[in-house]
Amino acid sequence: MYTTGDTVKGTVTIKPTSNKKVEHQGIRIELLGQVELFFDRGNYYDFLALSRELEPAGDVSGDVELPFEFKSCDMQHESYTGINVRLRYVLRVTVTRGYGGGIVKELPFCVRLVQNLPDINNTLKMEVGIEDCLHIEFEYSKAKYHLKDVVVGKIYFLLVRIRIKHMDLEIRRRESTGSGANTYNESETLAKFEVMDGAPVRTESIPIRIFLSPYDLTPSYKNINNKFSVKYFLNLVLVDEEDRRYFKQQEIQLWRNELI
């Protein structure tokens, strides 16, 4: 695992499978940062491409070790694998041959980025209402959370004239790929909590405390390489005794405060 500004270095070992000399037209290593959209699988969009020549044209007659180094790499995006998109970093070694096709070997690696503490992190408030039937307010201590954080808040019932059976709070991720009219959104529920079972009464309040660390969360991403975005939401779901469902969701921002 690496972060931006790190030096990526190592050794490429070439091992012929026979005692014969293997002729080649050069050996090259590349460090690539790529975005792959799954509806366009196999086509990669490079946002980072570094290359080093390891060996000029010649032949290999035995095991050869070739050191390489990419200094202070500007790896500006995190590795990510979602429903419809993947952002990856890979080392690719190519042995170019004049016959029989080239030999290519890839080694993927992970990149994570530590982000700064947000300058402004206001309290998050919102309301759910059905005219003359239901009025709920809920409040969270902040709108931006790091990946090991705890969501703390309260739900207030100001008016209750429908029979609520139960209430759930969900953490949802929305992945958007493409752009303009070709934007495709895919949502998934990562966590679901039952915060109330039974009918509340007016003036009642319910405390909320959700630990984020057990879940497979990433930072929020905005328009990465003009290919995709990832947003997170707290989604409140109320179900009445006739199984009618009422929804209210609020976006939250997630950020990474440590590499692990």
Side-chain angles (χ1 to χ4, degrees):
M1 185 177 68
Y2 295 87
T3 191
T4 188
D6 280 354
T7 294
V8 179
K9 63 180 180 179
T11 303
V12 175
T13 302
I14 307 294
K15 294 184 177 182
T17 56
S18 68
N19 294 325
K20 297 180 180 180
K21 291 183 178 181
V22 178
E23 295 182 356
H24 63 84
Q25 296 179 351
I27 302 174
R28 180 177 80 256
I29 187 169
E30 299 168 280
L31 189 157
L32 303 172
Q34 302 176 319
V35 175
E36 180 188 24
L37 302 174
F38 292 167
F39 61 77
D40 192 20
R41 191 178 293 274
N43 290 326
Y44 294 95
Y45 301 89
D46 294 349
F47 59 87
L48 176 64
L50 305 174
S51 181
R52 300 284 187 274
E53 292 294 330
L54 298 178
E55 192 82 356
D59 56 65
V60 176
S61 57
D63 292 0
V64 176
E65 292 190 348
L66 305 171
F68 68 88
E69 182 175 26
F70 296 95
K71 291 186 177 180
S72 304
C73 298
D74 183 18
M75 297 175 285
Q76 56 184 309
H77 304 308
E78 278 210 359
S79 301
Y80 174 78
T81 300
I83 299 174
N84 292 309
V85 63
R86 175 172 64 162
L87 189 152
R88 70 169 192 164
Y89 290 86
V90 63
L91 289 168
R92 177 188 294 163
V93 176
T94 302
V95 180
T96 305
R97 303 173 69 188
Y99 59 92
I103 301 171
V104 179
K105 177 69 174 178
E106 292 186 346
L107 177 67
F109 62 94
C110 178
V111 170
R112 287 183 174 173
L113 306 178
V114 174
Q115 297 161 303
N116 296 324
L117 180 71
D119 294 331
I120 301 175
N121 199 353
N122 295 326
T123 300
L124 187 63
K125 295 182 179 181
M126 57 182 174
E127 298 182 0
V128 177
I130 304 173
E131 188 174 359
D132 297 328
C133 294
L134 180 69
H135 187 189
I136 300 174
E137 290 183 353
F138 51 106
E139 179 179 330
Y140 301 106
S141 59
K142 53 189 177 182
K144 300 175 183 179
Y145 300 87
H146 62 75
L147 302 186
K148 306 288 185 180
D149 217 335
V150 183
V151 178
V152 177
K154 274 192 175 183
I155 299 176
Y156 301 94
F157 293 87
L158 305 180
L159 176 64
V160 183
R161 289 180 179 170
I162 59 176
R163 299 293 294 178
I164 298 175
K165 186 164 58 175
H166 63 86
M167 180 169 60
D168 299 327
L169 187 63
E170 302 171 339
I171 300 175
R172 294 181 63 82
R173 175 163 57 207
R174 180 189 299 164
E175 181 183 279
S176 301
T177 53
S179 60
N182 296 320
T183 300
Y184 183 74
N185 294 312
E186 186 80 39
S187 296
E188 57 181 324
T189 301
L190 304 179
K192 183 177 181 179
F193 308 89
E194 185 178 73
V195 296
M196 185 189 71
D197 183 12
V201 297
R202 185 174 177 271
T203 72
E204 189 171 6
S205 66
I206 298 176
I208 301 294
R209 183 178 293 269
I210 301 172
F211 292 84
L212 299 180
S213 56
Y215 303 103
D216 183 22
L217 305 175
T218 69
S220 301
Y221 302 130
K222 183 178 180 181
N223 197 26
I224 299 299
N225 204 44
N226 293 320
K227 297 299 180 184
F228 74 97
S229 299
V230 176
K231 296 181 179 180
Y232 287 88
F233 298 87
L234 293 175
N235 188 42
L236 187 68
V237 183
L238 294 91
V239 181
D240 68 14
E241 291 185 344
E242 297 180 8
D243 286 330
R244 290 176 298 198
R245 301 169 68 86
Y246 309 92
F247 301 91
K248 181 69 173 182
Q249 69 178 14
Q250 177 66 45
E251 183 180 359
I252 58 174
Q253 298 288 328
L254 297 185
W255 55 284
R256 187 183 299 282
N257 68 331
E258 57 183 358
L259 289 181
I260 299 176

